[in-house]
Each structure stands twice: as structure tokens, then as C-alpha cells.
């Protein structure tokens, strides 16, 4: 399975093509739209989300709600394009009138300056920011929705939520209350900050409100968990086959993500080996299993069969209403950076995007190992494999 996205933030459409999804998977636009709505709704988003109601059109690869095995093409219209149709017009040459809203004062922390240098976009850094905008993540969530449907057909569930926004952290001890991700999902999706408790939600909303009053932005941390993942996805044999490494890349590849950890993560650095390794047990019902999950479901770049636990760190959005020191790329004079409309925080959306990226990497790993032509054959193979390792 592979995919590619295209689209500029204020261009006409966002698009994606996915190749390698087996035939026979039921998928509808409603399935995808449900995930797109989750990405849009979250505390701290800005005015753009009021303009957009992200809805997908399935252009190919699905017939009568079932995948054909051919490439699946998806698109999502940018409603805001109506306000930008001249500025983003692909067909007419640049004129004074359609080159308004030029960006010449790069924002520290954004791709503006280096992207301009790299692609020689000297006339207008908008040529950089339109694609580097996190608007593109709408398509990663759409692709992730397809991946999640495939995983659900194999009894694998994936869920992302918010563990921290600025100084407000969620109470992770609450996690032990939930036996399934479905139970956890019902809770975290009920809070506007997509976190674990009403108290955490209130504290996080207060941080966001305060940040907005200060005309600043704030980052945070998100956690993704996956259950039902069989042991042995990924491989130890080569560095680029390690599935935790692929997931790490996918997480840090999300706009504004600057770090990733698995299980106990960076805190493991202060532990002794005897405190940390997940001891091995066996029962006739479960086969091999672990007494704990400090390593987040991975050993040797392979899934252990325990829950996958991944966290990603999201930096604050670099577009500030109180812009920082920058330099005009035309005059080389000191100036405040350009301001664009922006969000106070996108951490609530980031949890949904990280969930999509983990789902995509898990789906790819499954399709690397098993049949990719037909869903029913894939299901047969995965269930035979589960039986085999249970009796190892
Ligand atoms: C973004 C800037 C804002 C966000 C956008 C990401 O867009 P605009 O400049 O149009 O206000 O709203 O995110 C989305 C549009 C989205 O759908 O998530 C940026 O610079 O990254």
C-alpha cells in the first residue's frame, strides 16, 4: 500500500491516491467524512474551520461501496478557495491584481524562509506556505480512514487523544479504567480538547483561552494506541524494516511534530533494565503475553502483540498574531514576520492526524506481510497466522 497527496491550502482541491488496498473492503464517503469531522472539531482551532466543512468525493477504486483493488482517488474541496480564486489561479499569468497578499517576511518556525531559498520562490513566499500548511493533513486523515477500515476488518483498533496542552497535562492513570479503545474513544471524543477527564479538559481549555488572550500559540503532546495488532509485524533484519522506525518517521512527518516516543519513552532513560523489560508469560488462552508494556508494543522493530503506545510532541503553531523578528526578503530590512490567520492550537486535530498516520503504517505493514489482492483472503491469512503464533 502506498499513497500520495497533492493540494495547496487555498487552492481548489486537496487530493490523494491510494494504491494497494485489497478488493472487497466496504468503504463509504460517510466513513471518511466522520474522520474528517473529528480533525476539524477541536478546541483552539481558528476561523478557517468555520469556513470549511470537509467532505470527501470518492473518484475511483470503489464501486457500490466496496473497493475494487484498483487505485482509490479521493478529493476534498477547499471551500475557502472561493476567497482566493484569483490569487491561487493556476491558469492566468501573475498580474499586480492577482498577486496580492504576498508573503515577503518569513515566519520564524515555519517553512517560509528555507522553502523560499530552496525553490527560488523569491517573488512570493506564499508559494511555500500554501503547500507547507497543515491543511494537507486533511488528506492524510482521509487515507487514514481507509486504513482504519481495513484494520477494523482485521479486528485492529487505533485511537488518538490529547495528553498535554502547554502546561496542562492529562491524568494518564485514568487509562487503566478502560478495557477497550472503544470505551476510551467514547470518553476522549466527548471533550472539546479530546483528553481524558473533565478536569483535564477544563484545564486545557483554560490554557488555550489564556494563550488566545495573549495572542500567542501553544503546543502539546498526543498519544495513539492500537489494539489487536498481531506479534511479528515489521522486522529486525534491516533498519528500514523496523516498524517502530516507520511509525516514528510517519509521526515526525506530520506538520509541527518535533518528537516521538514509544511506551515509557524518554522517561525510560532513568530506569534500570530490571524495571523496564516486559516479562514473558504464557497461557493456553492467550499464548505468549507480557506482564507489562513499558516498551509500547515493540521489540526489535517488531510488534510484540501487546498494545502499541506512541506519543508525539507538537510544537506551537509558528504563525503568531504578535509576530516575531524577521527580515524582508526584498529589502533585507528588519521587520516583524508576516501574519496569517491561524489557530491558537491544533493539538486536538494533531491527535486525529497521528492516529491516521499510525493506522496507515499498520495497514502497510499488514499488507507487506499478507495477501494484498482480496480482503477475504487477507482475513483468512491473518487469522491463520494468529492461530499459528498462539500455538508457538
Ligand atoms: C495553517 C493555517 C490555517 C489553518 C490551516 C493550517 O489556515 P488559514 O491560513 O487558511 O487560516 O486553519 O489548517 C487548515 C486549513 C486545516 O484544515 O487544518 C497552516 O499554516 O499550517
Amino acid at each position: 500500500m502506498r499513497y500520495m497527496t497533492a493540494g495547496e491550502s487555498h487552492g481548489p482541491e486537496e487530493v490523494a491516491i491510494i494504491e494497494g488496498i485489497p478488493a472487497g473492503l466496504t468503504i463509504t464517503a460517510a466513513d471518511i467524512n466522520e474522520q474528517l469531522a473529528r480533525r476539524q472539531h477541536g478546541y483552539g482551532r481558528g476561523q478557517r474551520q468555520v469556513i470549511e466543512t470537509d467532505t470527501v468525493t470518492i473518484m475511483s477504486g470503489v464501486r457500490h461501496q466496496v473497493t475494487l483493488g484498483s487505485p482509490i482517488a479521493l478529493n476534498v474541496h477547499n471551500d475557502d478557495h472561493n476567497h482566493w480564486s484569483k490569487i491561487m489561479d493556476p491558469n492566468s499569468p501573475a498580474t499586480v491584481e492577482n498577486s496580492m497578499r504576498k508573503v515577503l517576511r518569513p515566519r520564524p518556525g515555519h517553512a517560509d524562509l528555507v522553502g523560499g531559498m530552496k525553490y527560488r520562490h523569491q517573488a512570493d513566499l506564499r508559494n511555500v506556505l500554501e503547500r507547507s500548511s497543515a491543511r494537507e493533513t486533511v488528506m492524510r486523515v482521509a487515507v487514514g480512514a481507509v486504513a482504519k477500515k481495513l484494520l477494523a476488518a482485521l479486528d485492529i483498533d487505533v485511537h488518538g487523544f490529547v495528553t498535554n496542552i502547554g502546561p496542562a497535562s492529562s491524568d494518564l492513570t485514568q487509562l487503566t479504567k478502560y478495557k477497550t479503545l472503544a470505551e476510551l474513544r467514547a470518553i476522549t471524543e466527548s471533550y472539546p480538547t479530546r483528553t481524558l477527564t473533565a478536569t483535564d479538559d477544563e484545564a486545557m481549555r483554560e490554557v488555550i483561552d489564556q494563550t488566545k488572550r495573549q495572542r500567542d500559540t501553544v503546543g502539546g503532546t498526543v498519544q495513539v494506541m492500537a489494539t489487536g495488532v498481531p506479534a511479528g509485524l515489521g522486522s529486525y533484519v534491516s533498519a528500514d524494516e523496523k516498524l517502530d522506525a516507520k511509525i516514528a518517521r510517519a509521526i515526525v512527518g506530520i506538520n509541527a511534530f518535533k518528537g516521538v516516543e514509544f511506551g515509557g519513552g524518554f522517561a525510560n532513560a532513568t530506569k534500570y533494565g530490571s524495571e523496564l523489560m516486559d516479562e514473558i508469560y504464557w497461557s493456553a488462552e492467550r499464548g505468549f503475553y507480557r506482564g507489562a508494556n513499558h516498551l509500547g508494543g515493540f521489540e526489535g522493530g517488531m510488534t510484540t502483540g501487546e498494545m502499541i503506545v506512541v506519543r508525539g510532541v507538537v510544537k506551537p503553531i509558528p504563525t503568531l498574531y504578535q509576530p516575531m523578528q524577521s527580515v524582508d526578503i526584498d529589502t533585507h530590512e528588519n521587520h516583524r514576520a508576516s501574519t496569517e490567520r491561524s489557530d491558537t492550537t491544533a493539538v486536538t486535530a494533531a491527535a486525529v492526524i497521528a492516529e491516521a498516520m499510525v493506522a496507515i503504517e499498520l495497514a502497510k505493514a499488514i499488507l507487506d506481510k499478507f495477501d494484498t489482492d482480496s480482503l477475504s483472503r487477507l482475513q483468512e491469512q491473518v487469522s491463520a497466522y494468529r492461530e499459528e503464533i498462539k500455538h508457538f
Side-chain angles (χ1 to χ4, degrees), residues 17-18 23 43 60 96 98 103 220 255 326 336 362 388:
I17 296 180
I18 318 169
Y43 207 75
S60 75
V96 172
N98 70 16
V103 176
N255 313 48
S326 184
R336 295 277 133 190
L362 288 177
E388 181 194 321

PDB file of all heavy atoms in Angstrom, residues 17-18 23 43 60 96 98 103 220 255 326 336 362 388:
ATOM      1  N   ILE A  17      -4.241   9.773  -3.757  1.00  0.00           N
ATOM      2  CA  ILE A  17      -4.423   8.487  -4.450  1.00  0.00           C
ATOM      3  C   ILE A  17      -3.797   7.405  -3.578  1.00  0.00           C
ATOM      4  O   ILE A  17      -2.655   7.559  -3.117  1.00  0.00           O
ATOM      5  CB  ILE A  17      -3.783   8.495  -5.849  1.00  0.00           C
ATOM      6  CG1 ILE A  17      -4.479   9.528  -6.738  1.00  0.00           C
ATOM      7  CG2 ILE A  17      -3.885   7.099  -6.490  1.00  0.00           C
ATOM      8  CD1 ILE A  17      -3.933   9.620  -8.142  1.00  0.00           C
ATOM      9  N   ILE A  18      -4.572   6.351  -3.321  1.00  0.00           N
ATOM     10  CA  ILE A  18      -4.073   5.228  -2.519  1.00  0.00           C
ATOM     11  C   ILE A  18      -4.026   4.015  -3.432  1.00  0.00           C
ATOM     12  O   ILE A  18      -5.006   3.708  -4.116  1.00  0.00           O
ATOM     13  CB  ILE A  18      -5.029   4.875  -1.350  1.00  0.00           C
ATOM     14  CG1 ILE A  18      -5.568   6.129  -0.671  1.00  0.00           C
ATOM     15  CG2 ILE A  18      -4.347   3.954  -0.362  1.00  0.00           C
ATOM     16  CD1 ILE A  18      -6.711   5.840   0.302  1.00  0.00           C
ATOM     17  N   ALA A  23      -9.240  -5.717  -2.754  1.00  0.00           N
ATOM     18  CA  ALA A  23     -10.639  -5.697  -3.183  1.00  0.00           C
ATOM     19  C   ALA A  23     -11.512  -6.271  -2.064  1.00  0.00           C
ATOM     20  O   ALA A  23     -11.066  -7.142  -1.307  1.00  0.00           O
ATOM     21  CB  ALA A  23     -10.796  -6.544  -4.443  1.00  0.00           C
ATOM     22  N   TYR A  43     -11.049  22.115  20.280  1.00  0.00           N
ATOM     23  CA  TYR A  43     -10.904  23.433  20.907  1.00  0.00           C
ATOM     24  C   TYR A  43      -9.601  24.093  20.452  1.00  0.00           C
ATOM     25  O   TYR A  43      -8.564  23.434  20.395  1.00  0.00           O
ATOM     26  CB  TYR A  43     -10.897  23.253  22.420  1.00  0.00           C
ATOM     27  CG  TYR A  43     -11.388  24.466  23.158  1.00  0.00           C
ATOM     28  CD1 TYR A  43     -12.736  24.768  23.197  1.00  0.00           C
ATOM     29  CD2 TYR A  43     -10.493  25.313  23.801  1.00  0.00           C
ATOM     30  CE1 TYR A  43     -13.192  25.888  23.881  1.00  0.00           C
ATOM     31  CE2 TYR A  43     -10.944  26.427  24.491  1.00  0.00           C
ATOM     32  CZ  TYR A  43     -12.293  26.710  24.518  1.00  0.00           C
ATOM     33  OH  TYR A  43     -12.734  27.817  25.194  1.00  0.00           O
ATOM     34  N   SER A  60     -12.551   7.137  -7.532  1.00  0.00           N
ATOM     35  CA  SER A  60     -12.249   5.870  -8.211  1.00  0.00           C
ATOM     36  C   SER A  60     -11.924   4.794  -7.192  1.00  0.00           C
ATOM     37  O   SER A  60     -11.694   5.088  -6.015  1.00  0.00           O
ATOM     38  CB  SER A  60     -11.039   6.031  -9.150  1.00  0.00           C
ATOM     39  OG  SER A  60      -9.853   6.082  -8.378  1.00  0.00           O
ATOM     40  N   VAL A  96      -0.446  42.321 -11.179  1.00  0.00           N
ATOM     41  CA  VAL A  96      -0.442  43.046  -9.900  1.00  0.00           C
ATOM     42  C   VAL A  96      -1.687  42.654  -9.105  1.00  0.00           C
ATOM     43  O   VAL A  96      -1.627  42.387  -7.907  1.00  0.00           O
ATOM     44  CB  VAL A  96      -0.419  44.574 -10.155  1.00  0.00           C
ATOM     45  CG1 VAL A  96      -0.615  45.347  -8.852  1.00  0.00           C
ATOM     46  CG2 VAL A  96       0.884  44.962 -10.822  1.00  0.00           C
ATOM     47  N   ASN A  98      -3.670  39.882  -9.238  1.00  0.00           N
ATOM     48  CA  ASN A  98      -3.802  38.534  -8.673  1.00  0.00           C
ATOM     49  C   ASN A  98      -2.591  38.107  -7.840  1.00  0.00           C
ATOM     50  O   ASN A  98      -2.489  36.957  -7.431  1.00  0.00           O
ATOM     51  CB  ASN A  98      -4.181  37.501  -9.744  1.00  0.00           C
ATOM     52  CG  ASN A  98      -3.056  37.207 -10.728  1.00  0.00           C
ATOM     53  OD1 ASN A  98      -1.906  37.531 -10.472  1.00  0.00           O
ATOM     54  ND2 ASN A  98      -3.403  36.605 -11.851  1.00  0.00           N
ATOM     55  N   VAL A 103       3.748  37.185   0.564  1.00  0.00           N
ATOM     56  CA  VAL A 103       4.440  36.990   1.838  1.00  0.00           C
ATOM     57  C   VAL A 103       5.926  37.208   1.586  1.00  0.00           C
ATOM     58  O   VAL A 103       6.555  36.456   0.825  1.00  0.00           O
ATOM     59  CB  VAL A 103       4.174  35.570   2.393  1.00  0.00           C
ATOM     60  CG1 VAL A 103       4.967  35.336   3.679  1.00  0.00           C
ATOM     61  CG2 VAL A 103       2.676  35.369   2.645  1.00  0.00           C
ATOM     62  N   GLY A 220       1.689  20.821  22.353  1.00  0.00           N
ATOM     63  CA  GLY A 220       1.267  19.773  23.282  1.00  0.00           C
ATOM     64  C   GLY A 220       1.777  18.404  22.889  1.00  0.00           C
ATOM     65  O   GLY A 220       2.719  18.272  22.097  1.00  0.00           O
ATOM     66  N   ASN A 255       3.029  17.889  10.123  1.00  0.00           N
ATOM     67  CA  ASN A 255       3.405  19.290  10.320  1.00  0.00           C
ATOM     68  C   ASN A 255       3.481  19.622  11.809  1.00  0.00           C
ATOM     69  O   ASN A 255       2.571  19.277  12.561  1.00  0.00           O
ATOM     70  CB  ASN A 255       2.359  20.217   9.683  1.00  0.00           C
ATOM     71  CG  ASN A 255       2.006  19.781   8.279  1.00  0.00           C
ATOM     72  OD1 ASN A 255       1.743  18.606   8.055  1.00  0.00           O
ATOM     73  ND2 ASN A 255       2.012  20.697   7.347  1.00  0.00           N
ATOM     74  N   SER A 326      11.866  39.300  12.026  1.00  0.00           N
ATOM     75  CA  SER A 326      12.207  38.637  10.777  1.00  0.00           C
ATOM     76  C   SER A 326      12.873  39.665   9.863  1.00  0.00           C
ATOM     77  O   SER A 326      13.133  40.807  10.292  1.00  0.00           O
ATOM     78  CB  SER A 326      10.955  38.040  10.124  1.00  0.00           C
ATOM     79  OG  SER A 326      11.306  37.325   8.971  1.00  0.00           O
ATOM     80  N   ARG A 336       8.852  42.845  11.418  1.00  0.00           N
ATOM     81  CA  ARG A 336       8.102  41.772  12.072  1.00  0.00           C
ATOM     82  C   ARG A 336       7.678  40.767  10.982  1.00  0.00           C
ATOM     83  O   ARG A 336       7.411  41.176   9.838  1.00  0.00           O
ATOM     84  CB  ARG A 336       6.866  42.326  12.779  1.00  0.00           C
ATOM     85  CG  ARG A 336       7.210  43.258  13.933  1.00  0.00           C
ATOM     86  CD  ARG A 336       7.503  42.484  15.192  1.00  0.00           C
ATOM     87  NE  ARG A 336       8.723  42.964  15.849  1.00  0.00           N
ATOM     88  CZ  ARG A 336       9.304  42.340  16.865  1.00  0.00           C
ATOM     89  NH1 ARG A 336       8.807  41.220  17.356  1.00  0.00           N
ATOM     90  NH2 ARG A 336      10.401  42.816  17.406  1.00  0.00           N
ATOM     91  N   LEU A 362       0.392   0.786  10.084  1.00  0.00           N
ATOM     92  CA  LEU A 362      -0.008  -0.582  10.448  1.00  0.00           C
ATOM     93  C   LEU A 362      -0.614  -1.299   9.235  1.00  0.00           C
ATOM     94  O   LEU A 362      -0.337  -2.472   8.984  1.00  0.00           O
ATOM     95  CB  LEU A 362      -1.008  -0.560  11.605  1.00  0.00           C
ATOM     96  CG  LEU A 362      -0.444  -0.177  12.979  1.00  0.00           C
ATOM     97  CD1 LEU A 362      -1.567  -0.135  14.022  1.00  0.00           C
ATOM     98  CD2 LEU A 362       0.643  -1.154  13.423  1.00  0.00           C
ATOM     99  N   GLU A 388      -1.384 -19.634  14.461  1.00  0.00           N
ATOM    100  CA  GLU A 388      -0.044 -20.220  14.441  1.00  0.00           C
ATOM    101  C   GLU A 388       0.807 -19.648  15.582  1.00  0.00           C
ATOM    102  O   GLU A 388       1.422 -20.420  16.334  1.00  0.00           O
ATOM    103  CB  GLU A 388       0.623 -19.907  13.089  1.00  0.00           C
ATOM    104  CG  GLU A 388       2.025 -20.498  12.962  1.00  0.00           C
ATOM    105  CD  GLU A 388       2.809 -19.903  11.783  1.00  0.00           C
ATOM    106  OE1 GLU A 388       2.201 -19.665  10.718  1.00  0.00           O
ATOM    107  OE2 GLU A 388       4.016 -19.700  11.962  1.00  0.00           O
TER     108      GLU A 388
END
